[in-house]
Amino acid sequence: SIAAGAVAWALILAHYSTLRIESNARGGPAHDLLRAELLVVAVILGSVVTFAIVSWRGNRLHREELDRANAELLKYAAIVRETDERFRLMFHGNPLPAYVYDCSSLHMLDVNEAAAEKYGYPPDKFLELSVPDIRPAASPAELAQELQVRHVGFNRAGVWRQRRKDGSGFSADATVVRFVRNGREQELVVVNDVTQRIGTEKALRES
């Protein structure tokens, strides 16, 4: 029973770190992420209560009660795994280009099919890139300044000039979601090509 509970904890913590990415990548209402967070909080509180009862009652706590508590933890872990898989599929199936990079090294960590196609790279080759490779107009000082002002959670980054593999460029309205995973800050970027819109607005101003 105790071993099963430990397994449940490992599953919950591992999948919760990934869940934050997939939920935010979807770009939908924040209540899905909140519900997932509340689920994890409920599991944590349930475990604390179970531990307190064991300490207080000692041998009077029957083995079947421990088994029942661990079964509940395993059930919650299964729910988290299922939700995590759903969000993972939403990230990779999102029609808007999206990628994840490490805030310290600026190296790419994940990319969806839409982004790989938009930038003209196979997914595995895109993961060999770093942020300056697709944002050559931004100096290291500018990138560092951007990282300093952004906070954990959703950030509207404005319009960035992006470069494809063939050297052509496009303007992207970027939404950035910063989060912490495995003790490291990372950012999910979802980009929307607004090159045509900017061109149209410029033409209207000049007419």
Side-chain angles (χ1 to χ4, degrees):
S1 299
I2 296 176
V7 171
W9 261 110
L11 290 171
I12 291 166
L13 294 176
H15 287 279
Y16 177 62
S17 62
T18 306
L19 178 63
R20 297 188 66 88
I21 301 180
E22 308 304 334
S23 177
N24 289 331
R26 182 176 58 163
H31 70 271
D32 287 331
L33 178 58
L34 178 60
R35 185 170 62 247
E37 290 176 340
L38 290 175
L39 172 62
V40 176
V41 170
V43 174
I44 294 173
L45 291 176
S47 298
V48 171
V49 171
T50 299
F51 178 80
I53 292 174
V54 172
S55 300
W56 178 54
R57 295 179 60 185
N59 293 332
R60 289 186 296 174
L61 181 63
H62 299 297
R63 184 178 184 83
E64 56 268 23
E65 292 177 340
L66 280 174
D67 290 340
R68 187 161 53 250
N70 285 328
E72 287 298 314
L73 290 179
L74 289 173
K75 181 179 71 174
Y76 282 125
I79 293 173
V80 171
R81 287 199 306 273
E82 181 180 351
T83 305
D84 171 56
E85 177 66 13
R86 177 164 57 90
F87 284 128
R88 187 187 68 81
L89 292 174
M90 286 181 178
F91 170 72
H92 288 284
N94 195 323
L96 287 177
Y99 55 86
V100 178
Y101 62 85
D102 181 90
C103 290
S104 296
S105 67
L106 300 183
H107 289 160
M108 297 297 173
L109 300 174
D110 202 357
V111 62
N112 67 3
E113 290 292 336
E117 181 178 354
K118 184 68 177 178
Y119 290 88
Y121 291 91
D124 60 330
K125 295 300 182 181
F126 190 93
L127 296 181
E128 297 176 1
L129 304 177
S130 62
V131 172
D133 293 322
I134 61 174
R135 294 188 60 194
S139 68
E142 290 172 332
L143 292 175
Q145 177 63 23
E146 290 180 6
L147 289 170
Q148 287 179 0
V149 300
R150 283 199 288 269
H151 55 80
V152 173
F154 285 88
N155 300 263
R156 290 301 303 273
V159 177
W160 293 346
R161 192 64 183 169
Q162 305 278 274
R163 183 173 65 182
R164 300 184 180 90
K165 181 181 179 182
D166 62 7
S168 63
F170 66 96
S171 297
D173 187 8
T175 299
V176 179
V177 181
R178 177 172 292 189
F179 58 95
V180 178
R181 182 172 63 174
N182 298 328
R184 299 183 64 86
E185 288 192 332
Q186 301 174 15
E187 288 187 341
L188 162 73
V189 179
V190 180
V191 299
N192 182 26
D193 189 344
V194 293
T195 306
Q196 184 176 359
R197 187 193 75 190
I198 291 176
T200 300
E201 292 173 350
K202 181 179 179 181
L204 289 174
R205 289 194 301 268
E206 295 175 349
S207 62

